[in-house]
Amino acid sequence: MSQPTGQQPDPGQLILIDKPLTWTSFDVANKLKYACKFRKIGHAGTLDPLATGLLILCTGKMTKQIDQYQAQEKEYTGTLVLGKTTPSVDLETEFDAEFETAGITPNQIQDAARQLTGDILQVPPIYSAVRVGGERLYEKARRGETTEIKSRQVTVRLFETNAEHFPAVDFRIVCSKGTYIRSLVRDLGLLLNNGAYMSALRRTRIGDFRIEEADTLEAFIDRYKSSAATKAAEPQPGSDTATD
């Protein structure tokens, strides 16, 4: 669903998209820019390529409000898997270690999640878009470079776990701006003296905006073009109109 403040890129509109798997947030913005001929567009909060879900985009003058949307609380659902790790903490990179998971209980998992709830200090993953020395961390990581990464304070209001399909663990997380879900997954594995990686992630809410309101890229583009074509066919104010 989109929430337009005008049919043209200016004064702009707010667009809610369900980001497809493997697309970057920039890919989505770029696709909309050229398909809908937006002169100015930006997204309010990056989603990793292997994540899906709610992406807020703003066009025209609405881009001035991007920081406001980025600052809002986020909600995610997903799945982590205990017993293995990857450098990226997801399936972007190959497994690099394996651990025995026998003896880990649902209560221990819940206790580890509780320790990662509240105001916490978190170190971003080495495969992330954080800039260090003017360069993205993932660019350094892909070259095999090691980098000192400073911790940052984030707020995790909720970290629910369901180990019904152990060693896969489903989760729901409600957190502040700047929280890395992959870091929570990594740290939960460490608290269990084990390892973990994320196998799926979906953003379901940003502030009051929910994934149920979002369009697929194709649906939004089709509706936008149809609306633009209808408007172009309408008589413009002040134009001559033939009458009998």
Side-chain angles (χ1 to χ4, degrees), residues 43-213:
H43 63 78
T46 302
L47 271 178
D48 289 338
L50 295 184
T52 64
L54 183 58
L55 185 66
I56 292 179
L57 302 105
C58 298
T59 70
K61 293 181 180 179
M62 287 287 289
T63 56
K64 294 179 180 179
Q65 299 184 38
I66 282 178
D67 287 347
Q68 169 192 326
Y69 295 121
Q70 282 182 327
Q72 295 182 3
E73 185 178 74
K74 316 291 194 304
E75 181 175 322
Y76 299 87
T77 60
T79 303
L80 64 89
V81 182
L82 290 164
K84 289 184 178 180
T85 59
T86 74
S88 59
V89 202
D90 63 10
L91 292 172
E92 180 184 344
T93 52
E94 300 292 329
F95 296 118
D96 62 356
E98 190 165 352
F99 304 83
E100 177 57 58
T101 59
I104 297 177
T105 67
N107 285 340
Q108 289 175 328
I109 296 170
Q110 290 170 5
D111 183 62
R114 278 193 292 269
Q115 293 181 60
L116 295 169
T117 304
D119 296 330
I120 63 172
L121 288 176
Q122 179 184 81
V123 176
I126 59 171
Y127 281 80
S128 66
V130 173
R131 288 188 180 274
V132 174
E135 191 174 19
R136 303 287 188 186
L137 276 177
Y138 63 76
E139 295 171 341
K140 294 175 177 289
R142 286 169 182 164
R143 294 196 302 267
E145 298 178 14
T146 57
T147 307
E148 182 179 352
I149 310 171
K150 294 182 179 180
S151 62
R152 55 179 66 183
Q153 182 171 305
V154 298
T155 300
V156 179
R157 187 164 66 82
L158 180 74
F159 192 167
E160 293 180 342
T161 60
N162 181 345
E164 182 180 355
H165 303 293
F166 185 86
V169 178
D170 296 326
F171 61 79
R172 183 166 75 95
I173 291 170
V174 178
C175 58
S176 66
K177 168 190 174 182
T179 305
Y180 277 92
I181 307 302
R182 284 181 292 133
S183 290
L184 292 176
V185 168
R186 176 200 64 205
D187 294 345
L188 184 139
L190 291 172
L191 285 170
L192 293 168
N193 294 315
N194 209 271
Y197 68 92
M198 189 169 66
S199 63
L201 182 67
R202 184 164 178 78
R203 186 157 64 195
T204 55
R205 181 173 65 82
I206 300 174
D208 293 330
F209 299 102
R210 296 185 175 276
I211 188 60
E212 291 81 8
E213 304 172 75

